[in-house]
Amino acid sequence: MDFSLFYFSGDGLTTQANKYNLLIESAKYADKNGFSAVWTPERHFHSFGGLYPNPSLTSTALAMITKRIQLRSGSLVMPLHNPARVAEEWSVVDNLSNGRVALGFASGWTVDDFVLSGESHANRREAMWRGIQTVQQLWEGEQVELKDVTGKLFKVKTFPRPIQHKLPIWIVCKSNATFVEAGKIGANILTYLLEGTLEEVALQISLYRQSLAKHGHDPQAGKVAMMLHTFVGEDYNMVKEEVREPFYNYLKVHIDLLENLAKNAGLQINLEKFTEADINSLLRFAYEGLLKGKTLIGSKESCMQMIKQIQQAGVDEVACLIDFNPNFDSVMASLPHLKELKHMCNQEKMASLR
């Protein structure tokens, strides 16, 4: 099981200095302590995730302060971008990092984001797959035909040339169809467990590996990463209480997630009519539910049980979302425990090979 760090929930509303301190210092820690990657997202026009409007910018900064860890977009909303621009920007990052770029792609969720590219919303999934293919071609040095302002086609080749000849690709997957399509092109998978069950994801991973094999790819070469909210400590109950308030605040900001968690539990709710007491009861319900097999929040021992479960489902990597908790000192103090959990997984793997 590989371990990477994932970022999403930074509050873009704040104006204090050093607001990227957690990203920078935790990435340095991950780089020095054998983590596989850091993921930074693309998020527009919302305070939730608002620190991260462009993963090529954050990855450029991380390229200058790390030496070995892979730098991934988690994820780049392909329909919002010109593929040539994507190839150019990320080739710069690949050069600055000496070949450590990987791109996670998504088709986009939020309608408001598409003010950046209004014409692509209706066919955003097709635009994603088409854009990925064009980025790959440009990355490998091919010329592709693009239209100028008059509609005339002309051939484009992008510069600078990247360090890596082949661009590592990840696809954000939730539906069965996307798992299958990712297998067709031999891409890796980034998925999550907030709204479904592990049994459902295990079936999707099986479909993915079947698709890899059917389309001429090594079915075991494709990697599956699962995003999980993560905070590891010595004692389960102490961790649970330490994280409670930050997670409540996180859910209040990410109100869509709170509503979806309630609906998935069979609750029909209208938050507009909720009192403060109702909201607090719902927060407790959602938090307790997420702690039962949907996060890496707890002790090393309890988290190890979760790792074993997702490993049995076919997951190769856990993408640890750590910045739902904005407390810099608290999160940084938890990272050595996460490192120890990673070490425990390595020890079990070595024992199984003997």
Side-chain angles (χ1 to χ4, degrees), residues 63 71 80 86 115 131 161 184 219 225 300 321 331:
L71 308 174
L80 300 182
V86 172
V115 300
R161 302 302 311 132
K184 284 183 181 180
K300 293 186 289 292
L321 195 161
V331 175

Side-chain angles (χ1 to χ4, degrees), residues 121-239:
H121 182 263
N123 300 302
R124 58 192 180 277
R125 291 177 182 82
E126 295 85 350
M128 180 187 76
W129 296 114
R130 186 170 60 249
I132 290 171
Q133 182 180 27
T134 303
V135 171
Q136 287 177 307
Q137 290 172 311
L138 291 167
W139 191 273
E140 294 172 21
E142 296 182 30
Q143 288 185 327
V144 300
E145 288 189 330
L146 299 176
K147 291 182 180 180
D148 64 17
V149 292
T150 68
K152 181 181 177 181
L153 290 172
F154 72 108
K155 291 184 178 180
V156 168
K157 188 174 183 178
T158 56
F159 300 95
R161 302 302 311 132
I163 299 295
Q164 300 176 96
H165 177 65
K166 287 283 186 182
L167 174 64
I169 298 291
W170 297 74
I171 307 294
V172 177
C173 292
K174 186 57 181 173
S175 69
N176 290 359
T178 313
F179 274 86
V180 171
E181 289 296 318
K184 284 183 181 180
I185 67 170
N188 301 306
I189 298 287
L190 172 62
T191 190
Y192 52 96
L193 195 58
L194 291 174
E195 299 167 11
T197 67
L198 192 54
E199 291 75 18
E200 290 169 343
V201 175
L203 289 173
Q204 292 174 321
I205 293 172
S206 178
L207 290 173
Y208 164 64
R209 303 231 179 263
Q210 292 172 31
S211 181
L212 285 169
K214 180 179 178 180
H215 294 91
H217 308 288
D218 181 351
Q220 299 309 313
K223 293 193 67 175
V224 178
M226 177 173 282
M227 186 278 289
L228 293 172
H229 296 81
T230 300
F231 191 99
V232 183
E234 286 292 347
D235 180 81
Y236 175 83
N237 289 319
M238 289 179 64
V239 168

Side-chain angles (χ1 to χ4, degrees), residues 43-101:
R43 180 67 165 166
H44 301 287
F45 316 131
H46 198 288
S47 61
F48 179 77
L51 283 180
Y52 307 108
N54 188 336
S56 69
L57 288 176
T58 46
S59 294
T60 297
L62 297 179
M64 307 310 294
I65 59 170
T66 58
K67 294 181 179 179
R68 52 155 299 278
I69 203 164
Q70 194 171 56
L71 308 174
R72 299 178 188 160
S73 60
S75 54
L76 188 154
V77 183
M78 188 66 243
L80 300 182
H81 302 280
N82 185 303
R85 189 65 167 163
V86 172
E88 288 178 339
E89 288 186 358
W90 284 95
S91 181
V92 172
V93 185
D94 202 52
N95 277 276
L96 289 172
S97 65
N98 197 28
R100 292 187 281 127
V101 157

Side-chain angles (χ1 to χ4, degrees), residues 218-259:
D218 181 351
Q220 299 309 313
K223 293 193 67 175
V224 178
M226 177 173 282
M227 186 278 289
L228 293 172
H229 296 81
T230 300
F231 191 99
V232 183
E234 286 292 347
D235 180 81
Y236 175 83
N237 289 319
M238 289 179 64
V239 168
K240 180 179 176 181
E241 293 310 311
E242 182 174 359
V243 174
R244 183 184 297 276
E245 184 176 354
F247 211 98
Y248 281 11
N249 292 332
Y250 166 80
L251 289 173
K252 286 177 183 177
V253 176
H254 194 0
I255 200 69
D256 292 342
L257 174 58
L258 184 58
E259 290 180 330

